[in-house]
Amino acid sequence: VFFFSSRRRHTRCREVSWARRCVQETEGEDKISAELEEKYNMLEDYIASQTQEDVIQVRVQQLGIAKVLVNVHKKSMVVLVKASTNIGEAYLNAKYYPQAFEHLTNALKINSTLLSTIEETKQYHAHILTLLGRCYMEGGNTEDALELLEKSLKMNKAILGEDDFSNCSILTIMAHVYIKKKQYDQAISQPVSYTHLRAHETSLHLVCRLLLEKKKT
């Protein structure tokens, strides 16, 4: 009986020791995870004042952090989707189209697996489609560009509504595709809100506004 009781005491000690180690390890992992997230956010703040080439290097670092957060610390796959999208957009803005296509396609593939379970991924899906549409456009593949942009527009309208300004951004990229195809009538006929264009004009919107004004004259 004494031997059995002693064994039980030792077993309980081992269980307590194991539980304590688990808690300590979890706390350590949480601390590392928090530090990585803080570094990721600091890099995001750093981007604003950087050149396109420097932005790419920052996005590379962020993607590496995102992979560790997801694969090691079991954070949401959304983290990896956004990091992949960001680096894809950075390559796109710097005119590195093959690299942009690779990362944006990967982001779209991962995001597709999350659409049924995470609501925010639906709007982000439209954003990725828009960037891929731009990528195809810049690469000269206007047909696939229009197909992706039409999907993006349909999804964006379904989520945010027919009159949301973000629709205008997609439509202006579509107008640029038609301009590349030299189909100026199609570019002009895009149902872009004239009021929205004047109120939120960017270099992309300016093209559509000028085309609309040309049509009026």
Side-chain angles (χ1 to χ4, degrees):
V1 175
F2 174 80
F3 176 77
F4 178 76
S5 299
S6 176
R7 182 178 180 184
R8 287 185 61 187
R9 282 200 303 273
H10 287 306
T11 301
R12 287 178 180 174
C13 287
R14 285 198 299 270
E15 290 174 351
V16 171
S17 177
W18 175 82
R20 185 179 293 112
R21 286 200 305 272
C22 286
V23 170
Q24 290 172 343
E25 288 173 2
T26 301
E27 289 175 348
E29 290 177 1
D30 289 344
K31 182 179 179 181
I32 294 171
S33 175
E35 289 174 350
L36 287 171
E37 289 176 333
E38 183 180 2
K39 182 177 180 180
Y40 187 100
N41 293 331
M42 287 176 63
L43 287 170
E44 190 69 33
D45 295 335
Y46 175 74
I47 280 177
S49 60
Q50 303 307 304
T51 65
Q52 288 183 340
E53 294 293 334
D54 289 335
V55 169
I56 289 174
Q57 296 307 312
V58 173
R59 293 305 191 193
V60 168
Q61 292 183 57
Q62 286 183 313
L63 181 59
I65 293 172
K67 288 179 179 179
V68 174
L69 287 171
V70 171
N71 296 325
V72 178
H73 298 279
K74 310 306 178 185
K75 296 297 181 178
S76 171
M77 290 292 288
V78 174
V79 176
L80 188 56
V81 170
K82 291 185 175 181
S84 297
T85 303
N86 287 340
I87 191 172
E89 187 172 11
Y91 277 122
L92 178 58
N93 291 336
K95 305 186 187 303
Y96 295 118
Y97 302 126
Q99 293 90 336
F101 179 79
E102 178 184 352
H103 287 288
L104 291 172
T105 301
N106 187 50
L108 190 72
K109 182 179 179 180
I110 298 171
N111 202 61
S112 297
T113 67
L114 307 175
L115 289 173
S116 61
T117 56
I118 304 176
E119 188 65 25
E120 69 172 299
T121 59
K122 294 179 180 178
Q123 184 178 348
Y124 211 73
H125 207 73
H127 176 57
I128 300 170
L129 286 170
T130 301
L131 292 174
L132 271 171
R134 275 184 57 201
C135 193
Y136 274 116
M137 176 189 73
E138 297 293 353
N141 189 341
T142 53
E143 295 302 322
D144 285 342
L146 282 175
E147 182 180 347
L148 288 170
L149 291 167
E150 286 167 358
K151 287 181 181 178
S152 173
L153 182 62
K154 182 179 180 180
M155 179 174 280
N156 209 60
K157 285 182 176 180
I159 298 167
L160 299 176
E162 294 282 338
D163 297 326
D164 191 83
F165 176 67
S166 59
N167 296 327
C168 187
S169 300
I170 301 169
L171 285 164
T172 48
I173 299 173
M174 292 176 70
H176 266 271
V177 176
Y178 283 118
I179 290 170
K180 278 185 172 289
K181 290 166 65 72
K182 300 187 185 302
Q183 296 178 1
Y184 303 115
D185 290 342
Q186 288 287 341
I188 294 172
S189 67
Q190 291 301 299
V192 183
S193 166
Y194 187 78
T195 303
H196 278 172
L197 287 177
R198 294 307 299 272
H200 304 277
E201 188 168 71
T202 67
S203 58
L204 282 176
H205 298 156
L206 178 60
V207 174
C208 284
R209 181 169 70 81
L210 293 175
L211 288 170
L212 287 168
E213 289 178 350
K214 178 181 179 181
K215 183 180 180 181
K216 290 184 177 182
T217 59

